[in-house]
Amino acid sequence: MAEKWDVFRRIGERHKADVLIVIDRDIVDYFTDIARATDDREMGGFLLGDYVYYSGSPKPWLIAHFHDYVQVPNVSEKPETTFAFPEESLREVGDMISAGRYSAFTLLHTHPSDSFFSVEDLHVHYRFRLLISDVVPEEARRFQHFIPHFTITGGEVGYAVSYMDYLHWVCYYYDESAYLVVSSKSVDSNPELRRHLFWMARVKFPDDFEFHLGVTDYHYTVAKISDLEEIFIRGGKTEDVERIIEEMKERMRREIERRLRQL
């Protein structure tokens, strides 16, 4: 276990990250297939893992490693355009953290199209610390403001997108043989996106004045799913990796069909 954190720490230091978010490859594969398979609704769940906080270093920083997930129903009144999780799912996550299985978690959902995060997605992230205050142990809530939410899109291109209101952080998508590092960039660096989010925040949440101002403080990362797939294929023996990918996709397809029948 210590060796894992040593590797992650070197990666974070190399990229001068204040926060390093590590995502295992099978999580991306699974939710990418869900995004592509369900063109009539958004789906999602919670990523689960653990973290290390380096408080004694010259500049304190965090590494969070997500290596598991739990899919939950979409209870939104408009599941084709929004994702909402049931309150009891948060309690289940809280119970798993209390049992010592995990210490970090975050929210991931899919967009059937190639649309990035919406202002509603940012508002969920903005309110998330309040939503979890009574149901998740303090150890997991302590660093929640350092952890982004994720959107996986399933359109023609397909993207893995993350977002949070923090300055500089890095997403590290990896398996044992390959990785892709993506640094965050500011909403302020994209004037068109900044104007759109600020305007939509006022329209969608007219009474939430703090959110109107905070929406332009968000940063985000973007990785093409095709880039992730190419990196992972190049990381090992191509034939072996491609065979494993096809086997995984077939297992995931069956699992997705099973879960869709339960909706």
Side-chain angles (χ1 to χ4, degrees):
M1 185 63 70
E3 182 180 355
K4 176 186 79 170
W5 294 115
D6 288 343
V7 171
F8 294 160
R9 181 170 184 168
R10 289 196 296 271
I11 293 292
E13 290 174 341
R14 184 183 309 162
H15 292 274
K16 297 180 173 60
D18 295 334
V19 176
L20 179 69
I21 305 295
V22 183
I23 307 293
D24 277 14
R25 174 248 185 93
D26 60 342
I27 291 176
V28 177
D29 284 345
Y30 182 76
F31 282 100
T32 297
D33 281 355
I34 289 178
R36 291 171 175 169
T38 55
D39 57 1
D40 62 342
R41 67 173 60 226
E42 295 187 5
M43 302 183 73
F46 296 101
L47 304 188
L48 303 164
D50 37 31
Y51 69 80
V52 168
Y53 180 64
Y54 295 102
S55 59
S57 57
K59 182 176 68 172
W61 63 295
L62 179 84
I63 302 174
H65 176 208
F66 294 105
H67 49 79
D68 206 349
Y69 57 86
V70 56
Q71 188 176 336
V72 302
N74 186 352
V75 296
S76 168
E77 294 180 355
K78 297 181 179 179
E80 66 278 3
T81 57
T82 58
F83 175 76
F85 51 84
E87 184 177 341
E88 58 267 25
S89 66
L90 271 180
R91 299 189 184 280
E92 293 174 1
V93 169
D95 289 343
M96 288 188 285
I97 292 171
S98 296
R101 296 175 58 186
Y102 309 101
S103 60
F105 79 109
T106 193
L107 184 67
L108 180 150
H109 74 288
T110 67
H111 283 183
S113 67
D114 276 332
S115 61
F116 280 14
F117 50 80
S118 65
V119 71
E120 290 89 349
D121 295 336
L122 298 189
H123 195 254
V124 170
H125 182 275
Y126 175 75
R127 295 184 61 248
F128 198 63
R129 291 191 287 275
L130 293 176
L131 295 174
I132 66 176
S133 60
D134 295 329
V135 292
V136 176
E138 195 276 336
E139 64 179 288
R141 289 186 279 114
R142 181 183 177 194
F143 297 109
Q144 197 62 45
H145 59 293
F146 289 147
I147 298 178
H149 287 182
F150 286 81
T151 296
I152 303 292
T153 73
E156 291 186 8
V157 179
Y159 297 94
V161 186
S162 63
Y163 45 90
M164 68 171 165
D165 51 340
Y166 192 74
L167 293 178
H168 177 60
W169 45 284
V170 169
C171 274
Y172 178 54
Y173 298 95
Y174 103 113
D175 66 8
E176 293 182 354
S177 59
Y179 64 88
L180 179 66
V181 177
V182 188
S183 295
S184 64
K185 53 186 175 181
S186 170
V187 163
D188 265 345
S189 67
N190 186 331
E192 183 176 350
L193 177 61
R194 183 185 190 279
R195 286 193 297 269
H196 171 75
L197 291 176
F198 185 72
W199 172 254
M200 292 306 296
R202 297 176 65 185
V203 171
K204 296 286 187 178
F205 307 99
D207 299 325
D208 201 336
F209 300 109
E210 288 188 3
F211 179 63
H212 300 170
L213 300 176
V215 72
T216 57
D217 293 333
Y218 269 80
H219 287 60
Y220 62 98
T221 68
V222 181
K224 287 184 179 180
I225 298 299
S226 59
D227 289 343
L228 290 171
E229 292 173 340
E230 182 179 353
I231 289 291
F232 292 146
I233 288 175
R234 288 208 311 261
K237 296 180 179 178
T238 302
E239 293 182 1
D240 290 343
V241 174
E242 289 179 340
R243 174 180 55 78
I244 292 171
I245 288 175
E246 291 305 315
E247 291 174 354
M248 289 179 60
K249 287 184 175 180
E250 178 60 24
R251 290 197 301 271
M252 290 176 183
R253 183 187 64 78
R254 292 196 296 267
E255 176 66 10
I256 290 167
E257 290 177 351
R258 183 185 70 80
R259 296 195 182 200
L260 287 176
R261 288 195 295 268
Q262 295 175 349
L263 297 177

